[in-house]
Amino acid sequence: MTKIISPSMLSADFGNLQAMCEMINASEAEWLHFDVMDGVFVPNISFGFPVIEAVKKHCHKMLDVHIMIVKPEKYVERFAKAGAGMLTFHFEATENPQQVIDLIRAEGIKVGISINPDISVKVLEPFISQVDMVLLMSVFAGFGGQKFIEDTYNRVDELKEMIDRLNPTCLIEIDGGVTLENAPKLYAHGVNVLVAGSTVYNAPNPQQMIIDLKNA
Ligand code: DX5
Ligand code: ZN
């Protein structure tokens, strides 16, 4: 089973992003997760294109870009040009998820679709066969450091059944409140990619924490 750790940059030291890139490059993290927030879809504002472009120059891992913005269709091309290797948008942030999927595909990068914890997993069914990854939020999108919602396991089971039936190579990513305690259970339910912000960057040794999360 594919197991990938994608540390979320949201909890890194923004005053020293080059050091973060060097840490990530030397670590066992396969991806680096970017949380782009617009202050409209979520009640928080993070960072945008210039920061992704700057990190892209120094970070050799795949940039896993999670956009929490309204009208994602307007910005797909710019995120691809900025260096996204995977671009994950929110189903509930657009009137036309199909168009967003098609636009991301046309850029030749990987496509992810995400939903918040209050959106039924069933809404994803028409799109599963067309995406490379589903990101299930295990907290409400907007802030790092929130508590993991336990109902996530049931949602993963429902999603996994759909993926096995419709697109077995589609990855499942979990984002929000991931810790060494819940990681083993998430893998056991079929999760492939763990996003971890505070768990990695607040650890005394972030590189060791990445290894521990992978082997959890
Ligand atoms: C929340 C973001 C997450 C966040 C996770 O909206 O999508 O990626 O950085 O942070 P932790 O791991 O601290 O919950
Ligand atoms: Zn995220």
Side-chain angles (χ1 to χ4, degrees), residues 95-111:
E95 281 166 17
N96 194 343
Q98 184 63 56
Q99 181 196 14
V100 184
I101 291 171
D102 295 342
L103 287 168
I104 300 174
R105 272 276 168 256
E107 293 297 327
I109 60 175
K110 291 192 194 311
V111 185

Side-chain angles (χ1 to χ4, degrees), residues 33 35 66 175:
H33 187 84
D35 290 302
H66 173 199
D175 185 4

Side-chain angles (χ1 to χ4, degrees), residues 8 10 33-37 66 68 135 137 173 175-176 195:
S8 168
L10 201 57
H33 187 84
F34 284 77
D35 290 302
V36 178
M37 303 179 183
H66 173 199
M68 286 158 271
L135 191 182
M137 290 304 300
E173 181 176 63
D175 185 4
V195 175

